[in-house]
Amino acid sequence: MNAPAPFAPPPAGTPAQKAAEAPSEPGVYLMKGTDGRVLYVGKARSLRKRLAAYFKTSAHADSKIDALVDRIADIEIILTRTEKEALILESNLIKRHRPRFNVVLKDDKRYPSLRLDPTEDYARFTVVRKIGEDDALYFGPFASAHAVRETLKVLNRTFRLRKCKASEFRTRTRPCLHCQLNGCLAPCCRDVPREVYREQVQEAILFLKGRTQELVGKIRGEMEAAAAAQEYEKAARQRDKLFALQRTAEKQVAVTTDFMDRDVFAAVSADGAAVITHLEVRGGFLTGTRHFGFPETMAAEDEMLGVFIRQFYEGRALVPGELFVSHALEDAGWIEEGLAAQRGQSVRIRRPERGKKARLLEMALHNARTELEALLARRSSGAELLPRLQRRLNLSRYPQRIECVDNSTLMGSDPVAGLVVFVDGRPEPAAWRRYRITGVTVPDDYAAMSQILRRRLGKGPASEPFPDLLMVDGGKGQLGAALAVMKDLQIEGRMDVVGIAKKDPGRGEAHDKIFLPGRSNPVHFGREGDLLLFLQRVRDEAHRHAVAFHRRRRRASTLASALDTIPGVGRARKAQLLDRFGSFEAVRAVTLDELSALPGFNRKLAEAIKEALSAKVDARRAE
């Protein structure tokens, strides 16, 4: 009988050896790839026990762990005195490195919120994308610009708060159109008592906090009291407000009978992808739902949920007193402590298992599973196409993140560029960028391309994440300019680069052409024409993005040049016109009354502006 083979320890210096030698103390570990980039950040009560789970000799039940381990080239360990310190350090490192396989919540600066400073005498709501460190109230973030616009419509129609900016508010001499349409109290021009206006502000705050039912009861009482006192105009105003709020309340779904505020979080994962669904419950009514998809993550669902919740509430003013979660959290106590300090009152994290509250959690799970199915379907379409693209173009890396740059100009005037990003074969508009090209006074596509690529790729770590595949719009010349920039920045090999040039029907070309470095002839796609169509789609999005920006710049410069000859119209008034109306055509379309009603304008100046713009149009037609 053969003797069992002696145990062979992992080679010294390998990730497996570092894991085996890790101390049994609390701390944080950073798993790094061959290029030194951090792939995953985790924390553990016992580093040795946690890391050993990644490198056990038997095959993992979870293939996503194997996928991560195969990419690990090094492990960095940071010891902490306590588990709480490890929790804080893990959060900081995830924010700093934004690792590929962690759950990283997209920065809420990208999502719009409503801001209100209640200390102002006549406060107004503004849309912001950054939560400031001030005493203002912030509501949101909202899932989209459309969602925040719809909310503002309800606020404006119901509570009639001012819309004008501070500069207009101080100088306005007559009520604006909003007032004439009964959408503003016009405190800029009318004697509106501060206490009356503050009452409207408080009601708007109640509405945004989800207290619609409470607000309906309050306004109904005021309406009945006004009617009893024979103040019929006031009663009619309260009646109109009541009807507007009731229409809103009818769209809300009652999910609990205790009328408490709570947030519900459900996490589901499959095939390395995950979705976390958030239900917002205010006053017992479901007021909002958001899904957060993560195409690649290696964390278990409970670990993922804990990291997500800590990121979700960072910098938020409104934290409910109760959170429902789909999985028991190892760090629930520490998270409760941190949220309680942020809220100023206690916060409980629960996982209900029966009754209406459990059904609420099941609702969140059902929504999360549905969203995950859609995410996997979207990923599978890219997962089928992108590996074929890698093989056909002989790329050195899987093209998960594709970026494309295109320039736009007209005879060298107002040159700009657009950059679009596709992740897993789908557009990622939040990462798209627009650039103004400076210092290029003559049409020079190569110089413009070089400038944009230096600005995109030449900022060191701040330029990350780099694309896996960079595509430049143009032929061999633009491709050569891109390669020269990469060589100068010493980032050769960090990404693949291709050029895409339009077909030339005059030379008998039937398709656009894809050029690769070191190859004189374009790539022939044969039966895989869908790959070329995909690359064309990416290029077309970059072209559309750049052209839209160029047109906007030209409209602004056209309006400015038309106004340069008018006495009394300087830089400030040009900016005021653009800010108010947006374009040359829009200013031409407004009436004299609307122009003269602007702060600092009068009838004579409005007539001069209209005359100058008409002359500009006539000159254009004559050309």
Side-chain angles (χ1 to χ4, degrees), residues 13 18 50 78 97 155 165 317 332 360 393 396 403 411 414 440 456 485 573-574 588 590:
K18 289 188 176 183
R50 175 63 60 83
I78 304 174
H97 296 289
L155 289 170
K165 297 179 180 179
L360 179 59
L393 299 183
S396 63
E403 296 187 12
M411 303 297 292
D414 296 315
V440 180
R456 166 64 185 93
V485 169
R573 280 185 173 150
K574 289 179 193 175
R588 280 190 64 239
V590 300

Side-chain angles (χ1 to χ4, degrees), residues 39-241:
L39 300 174
Y40 187 78
V41 174
K43 63 151 191 67
R45 187 178 301 163
S46 169
L47 287 168
R48 178 179 296 176
K49 186 179 295 185
R50 175 63 60 83
L51 290 172
Y54 289 99
F55 295 94
K56 57 188 177 183
T57 54
S58 60
H60 295 106
D62 194 343
S63 61
K64 65 185 181 182
I65 301 296
D66 290 321
L68 173 61
V69 170
D70 290 343
R71 290 175 167 90
I72 298 172
D74 190 22
I75 299 178
E76 180 181 343
I77 291 173
I78 304 174
L79 298 177
T80 58
R81 290 178 298 177
T82 64
E83 190 180 353
K84 183 179 180 180
E85 287 185 2
L87 190 76
I88 297 171
L89 180 59
E90 178 197 33
S91 294
N92 292 336
L93 290 173
I94 289 174
K95 282 191 293 184
R96 177 182 175 185
H97 296 289
R98 303 185 69 81
R100 176 173 176 177
F101 293 105
N102 276 96
V103 166
V104 181
L105 180 61
K106 290 182 180 179
D107 193 346
D108 271 342
K109 292 174 187 176
R110 297 175 179 169
Y111 294 102
S113 297
L114 286 174
R115 179 185 183 275
L116 177 79
D117 186 353
T119 61
E120 293 182 12
D121 283 337
Y122 297 101
R124 74 183 185 110
F125 285 101
T126 56
V127 179
V128 298
R129 290 184 180 266
K130 182 177 180 180
I131 307 300
E133 296 181 1
D134 53 20
D135 295 327
L137 297 177
Y138 292 88
F139 302 92
F142 292 82
S144 65
H146 173 74
V148 77
R149 283 197 300 268
E150 289 300 308
T151 303
L152 265 178
K153 282 182 183 178
V154 176
L155 289 170
N156 292 338
R157 183 171 61 240
T158 309
F159 303 105
R160 304 170 65 205
L161 303 183
R162 75 175 175 93
K163 287 85 179 165
C164 53
K165 297 179 180 179
S167 57
E168 297 174 338
F169 181 69
R170 289 192 299 267
T171 57
R172 188 176 291 280
T173 57
R174 67 181 75 178
C176 65
L177 188 62
H178 291 293
C179 175
Q180 296 172 26
L181 295 175
N182 202 32
C184 180
L185 294 174
C188 54
C189 307
R190 295 179 174 176
D191 185 19
V192 179
R194 285 178 169 80
E195 56 274 13
V196 171
Y197 193 88
R198 287 198 189 103
E199 179 69 17
Q200 295 291 96
V201 170
Q202 291 305 313
E203 289 180 357
I205 292 172
L206 276 178
F207 173 77
L208 286 172
K209 286 184 174 180
R211 301 287 193 275
T212 310
Q213 298 297 325
E214 177 182 337
L215 188 55
V216 165
K218 173 181 177 294
I219 292 172
R220 179 181 285 112
E222 292 175 353
M223 177 187 69
E224 293 170 352
Q230 297 184 356
E231 298 176 352
Y232 298 119
E233 289 187 9
K234 180 180 178 181
R237 289 195 298 269
Q238 297 301 86
R239 177 204 60 202
D240 294 342
K241 188 187 298 184

Side-chain angles (χ1 to χ4, degrees), residues 285-348:
F285 286 81
L286 179 61
T287 58
T289 306
R290 288 175 70 186
H291 302 288
F292 300 85
F294 306 97
E296 282 189 310
T297 178
M298 297 301 162
E301 289 168 347
D302 57 340
E303 181 183 355
M304 180 192 339
L305 206 51
V307 172
F308 177 88
I309 289 173
R310 298 201 305 270
Q311 296 179 42
F312 183 82
Y313 287 107
E314 188 170 325
R316 288 178 181 247
L318 300 176
V319 180
E322 192 168 60
L323 277 58
F324 288 171
V325 293
S326 60
H327 296 73
L329 305 184
E330 180 183 3
D331 307 311
W334 299 122
I335 297 174
E336 286 176 340
E337 182 181 320
L339 293 179
Q342 184 175 334
R343 182 174 185 254
Q345 300 179 47
S346 64
V347 176
R348 290 196 308 163

